[in-house]
Amino acid sequence: MHHIKFIVKCLCENKLRTFLTSFGICIAVASVLLIGAVGDFGCGAVREELDSLGLNGLILSCDSGSIDENEIGKISEVGGIEQCAPVTIDTSRVFSNDDDVSAVVWGIDENAEEVVSFELLCGRFINKGDIKSNGRVCMIDQTLALELFGSENAVGRTVELLQSSAVQSFEVVGVVKTGKGIMQSLMGSCFPAFLYAPYSSFRSEPDFNQVFLKTDGEVPSDELKTSLVRTLGKDVTVTDLASRRSVLRSMMATVTLILTLIGAISLFVSGISIMNIMLISVSERTKEIGIKKAIGASNSDILLDFLLESVIISLTGTLAGTAAALIISFSASAMLGISVTVSSLSVFRALLTAVSLGALFGIFPAYKAASFRPVEALRR
């Protein structure tokens, strides 16, 4: 305890120097913690966005031609396929009154909601009756509803599609959420609007562009791909979206790691500043060191004094940086409506790094102070 009181007194004698050194560490620690928090948020946001868009199974498409209803039946019987949802995908202008929006038009069946993760805001999904009756009904996403009607609740309204040089009218029976709102907020008008309608409403004998497949998770993706190619007897491309999602998560994690390493460079620079300040302190206090040794202080006592001083400077800056990171992340979450949090593990690592940083960069100045001979120190 005597050591701590003495060290605090010494630090207070040079308030400005101590403050500037700790402030440098504060900025470095806050930067690293915030980079980690933003990286965690980004990885989580991408994962939720991909899940919300249904990117969690397989997509089958023909390398040439298309897939007909007979082939859809064969695909659904392949072992390991839990659900099969054929789709036709096209782009079209969607009209309502004097407004028109370019949208991606999906021709789907009643199984689509089992494969693609829709979040229904109002109304209902496309059902089997709509498919059988070639119903001119549709679901639109939140983006399209707001663009055309200025409101999310567009159930009962009518939209018109430009299909093959002909205009077709569709009644809106449901509105689904646009992803989780993250891509929409980041990309704005660049993010496409979606319209979902029964595939039978576009043509009597549909040829599908793609088939969305939901797997049971028991059969490996490679085996499923082989089975599907064998069943259809023609060249098809099977995309494993789960693996694509894993690759994207790995990329996000790599970017976060690189940014964290860049932030760690500032920690290293702060450590150098601690060493520099401590060397200056040793030079200024050589007589004090000589007096202490003359009255019986050991080398280990001198070493401990300066080492603790270095650790306290580092720890003070780290605590301030941690507090700043927590305040900034909390404020950003409250103002932007997102969840950016500094994890308790990151805080623990920051405190551990602070002690290590202070000890590592303070050991040389402390050893130099402890190595002075009393007579030599008193003469300076």
Side-chain angles (χ1 to χ4, degrees):
M1 193 65 186
H2 170 72
H3 283 289
I4 301 297
K5 288 182 179 179
F6 178 75
I7 290 167
V8 171
K9 181 181 178 182
C10 292
L11 291 174
C12 289
E13 289 177 356
N14 296 281
K15 293 184 180 67
L16 181 59
R17 188 166 67 188
T18 302
F19 169 77
L20 292 176
T21 308
S22 296
F23 185 66
I25 299 169
C26 169
I27 294 175
V29 170
S31 300
V32 172
L33 289 176
L34 288 173
I35 288 172
V38 171
D40 290 342
F41 166 74
C43 290
V46 168
R47 182 176 60 252
E48 289 183 11
E49 190 72 14
L50 294 179
D51 286 342
S52 74
L53 294 173
L55 303 186
N56 50 15
L58 303 175
I59 287 185
L60 184 147
S61 57
C62 275
D63 295 337
S64 60
S66 55
I67 305 168
D68 58 35
E69 287 185 300
N70 291 331
E71 290 172 323
I72 297 299
K74 293 179 182 179
I75 293 171
S76 62
E77 295 174 359
V78 173
I81 301 297
E82 185 177 307
Q83 197 62 261
C84 174
V87 298
T88 63
I89 303 176
D90 200 359
T91 57
S92 175
R93 302 299 298 182
V94 182
F95 301 88
S96 178
N97 298 325
D98 296 329
D99 296 320
D100 71 284
V101 177
S102 179
V104 178
V105 178
W106 297 62
I108 61 174
D109 69 359
E110 71 277 8
N111 295 324
E113 65 176 289
E114 301 294 333
V115 179
V116 181
S117 301
F118 291 120
E119 183 179 339
L120 190 66
L121 295 177
C122 50
R124 64 173 177 85
F125 291 109
I126 302 295
N127 57 39
K128 196 170 185 178
D130 298 324
I131 306 298
K132 287 186 175 181
S133 65
N134 303 334
R136 293 294 180 86
V137 296
C138 69
M139 299 187 306
I140 62 176
D141 72 353
Q142 191 178 12
T143 302
L144 190 55
L146 292 172
E147 287 279 352
L148 293 178
F149 306 110
S151 170
E152 291 182 358
N153 190 353
V155 175
R157 307 293 286 271
T158 300
V159 297
E160 295 180 333
L161 303 184
L162 181 61
Q163 290 283 313
S164 302
S165 301
V167 176
Q168 300 178 351
S169 297
F170 288 79
E171 180 187 352
V172 178
V173 295
V175 178
V176 296
K177 190 173 182 61
T178 303
K180 294 294 183 184
I182 296 167
M183 285 187 178
Q184 174 65 18
S185 62
L186 292 178
M187 298 180 69
S189 60
C190 296
F191 194 76
F194 292 98
L195 182 146
Y196 308 88
Y199 66 78
S200 57
S201 64
F202 297 123
R203 53 182 71 91
S204 57
E205 296 182 1
D207 293 324
F208 300 102
N209 305 111
Q210 297 177 332
V211 182
F212 284 19
L213 305 174
K214 185 177 182 180
T215 63
D216 58 14
E218 297 179 1
V219 181
S221 297
D222 292 338
E223 291 185 21
L224 276 177
K225 292 178 184 179
T226 303
S227 298
L228 290 167
V229 172
R230 189 186 306 118
T231 298
L232 294 176
K234 60 182 179 180
D235 292 334
V236 294
T237 299
V238 182
T239 305
D240 185 354
L241 292 172
S243 63
R244 294 286 182 88
R245 183 174 55 181
S246 299
V247 170
L248 188 55
R249 283 204 304 266
S250 298
M251 290 174 59
M252 288 291 296
T254 302
V255 171
T256 302
L257 177 61
I258 292 173
L259 291 175
T260 302
L261 290 176
I262 293 173
I265 294 175
S266 61
L267 277 175
F268 180 79
V269 173
S270 299
I272 295 295
S273 69
I274 291 177
M275 181 183 290
N276 184 46
I277 292 301
M278 293 307 300
L279 286 172
I280 293 174
S281 180
V282 169
S283 298
E284 292 176 346
R285 294 159 59 187
T286 50
K287 287 187 177 181
E288 175 191 310
I289 295 169
I291 293 171
K292 283 185 176 181
K293 286 198 169 185
I295 61 176
S298 64
N299 287 349
S300 60
D301 291 331
I302 303 298
L303 181 72
L304 183 62
D305 279 346
F306 282 92
L307 198 58
L308 283 176
E309 187 172 329
S310 175
V311 170
I312 288 174
I313 292 174
S314 179
L315 190 59
T316 301
T318 300
L319 290 173
T322 302
L326 290 171
I327 292 171
I328 292 172
S329 63
F330 178 79
S331 301
S333 299
M335 289 187 294
L336 302 177
I338 57 178
S339 179
V340 181
T341 57
V342 178
S343 67
S344 55
L345 180 60
S346 298
V347 173
F348 173 76
R349 287 174 178 171
L351 295 176
L352 185 62
T353 301
V355 176
S356 303
L357 194 71
L360 179 64
F361 288 95
I363 188 67
F364 176 70
Y367 175 78
K368 183 177 180 181
S371 64
F372 281 138
R373 294 179 180 179
V375 175
E376 180 185 351
L378 288 170
R379 283 177 178 175
R380 294 192 178 188

